[in-house]
Amino acid sequence: MASLDFSSDKPRDVGSIGSLDLHALVDETSLGIRTKDGLYEVKDWEFGQVANEADDAVSQALNTTNRPPAEKPSATSLGGLGSVLARLTGSKVLTQEDLRPVLEDMKQHLMKKNVAKEIAEKICEGVEESLVGKRVGGFQSASHAFIGVRHYLMALIATNATVRQALSTSITRILTPKTSTDLLLSIRSKLSSPLSSTQLRLPYTIAFVGVNGVGKSTNLSKVCFWLIQNGLRVLIAACDTFRSGAVEQLRVHVRNLSMLGINGATDGKGRVELYERGYGKDAAGIAKEAIAFARDNDFDIVLIDTAGRMQDNEPLMRALAKLVSVNNPDKIIFVGEALVGNEAVDQLSKFDRALRDFSGLSGIGKGRGVDGMLVTKWDIVDDKVGAALSMTYVTGQPILFVGTGQTYTDLRQLRVANVVQAILSD
Ligand code: GDP
């Protein structure tokens, strides 16, 4: 039990835990990392394949200039994409004509990785624009009778590398966040901003939004676990007043989370509590009350769980926008599944649009959209991580976390290079 106390100072009485299986709640192998400053950071998501075979093939071939290749590199050594790119051999200057079949296959490749069709097309257009007119390979003509096999192959590989590089650059640009992904920094800077003697500190507030069943409350709880490991006091506001069982589900999470480290609190106060007012009430009002309660009771953070709703349901989207405009949360995190491909884009873009359109109407807040995404069920998609690309493409906002399972430690951060590698892999 002591090993399950992840707080830095651990006076705790574990006798009262009863029959709860804490080992099922935390996967110790996937615990985050404690930095030198004592911060608890969730791990990075790593793409399983260690080396990108295609890149290896290119660099090997380009570096062994004194040694003729033993044999023609097979299509598979360049990857599925490489075999298609091989058709380009022979072009001195790339034309639209040369690129058409290659880009069609590139589009299919992206869609196989779960990138939404429309976005795969836009990416391919961008790659085409960057390559038409480009001279590749530095060779004269592949059909020229005097070109040796080795020279031919070098040109082929250089061409492939050029096209592949253009795709990699394009994907990297889309995935690279334009705003900070350092949520802890944002929280700490709000909590340490100066106050006048009469002011009470307002907590940092995060609203979790999305459709039903995507993993909102589970992943809100994982974020809560990460926050309490960082010594913060969290109030979870049960604002799904609609779906029966939603409040009870959060109560279970709060009970579990309480047992996983709250006793590290040196001030005798719990690290996590639930604020709930049952069902059928106005969610915006409950969130407001919860924020006031948190302010008056020294909570650092309020995590607002909202009811899942379909993106096309205007009355429910208006109600969500009201919650946003009344409470003006510091962050609105859209929770979406990695599984759904095009559907993820439709959900996200409609949530973003509805929040922008409706949250400005009350005159209290300015219309604002989604600030970042949490992509769940990432563990199920293997290398088909295209939803990450689609989601960052439609909002320009970062993926703050991905959910990789059902325990509280199954939360990861994304590194752009790892996602690019997974998308380019065969
Ligand atoms: P909500 O309706 O959006 O609040 O969804 P829940 O949090 O109730 O989650 C729905 C289901 O998805 C539950 O069975 C969760 O255990 C599961 N789930 C949530 N996140 C993940 C994840 O990252 N990976 C996997 N494999 N399952 C998840």
Side-chain angles (χ1 to χ4, degrees), residues 213-219 222 249 377 379-380 403-406:
V214 292
K216 256 188 316 325
S217 31
T218 308
N219 286 279
K222 296 178 196 174
Q249 188 180 353
K377 310 189 188 177
D379 48 312
I380 297 173
T404 53
Q406 309 201 32

Side-chain angles (χ1 to χ4, degrees), residues 217-264:
S217 31
T218 308
N219 286 279
L220 174 150
S221 306
K222 296 178 196 174
V223 170
C224 181
F225 178 79
W226 165 67
L227 293 168
I228 57 183
Q229 294 304 317
N230 279 300
L232 295 160
R233 291 192 71 220
V234 185
L235 186 68
I236 296 182
C239 296
D240 179 353
T241 59
F242 194 69
R243 183 174 60 94
S244 103
V247 175
E248 289 69 22
Q249 188 180 353
L250 282 181
R251 188 172 295 122
V252 170
H253 283 304
V254 166
R255 185 198 61 184
N256 294 345
L257 289 163
S258 304
M259 292 174 182
L260 293 172
I262 62 159
N263 293 336

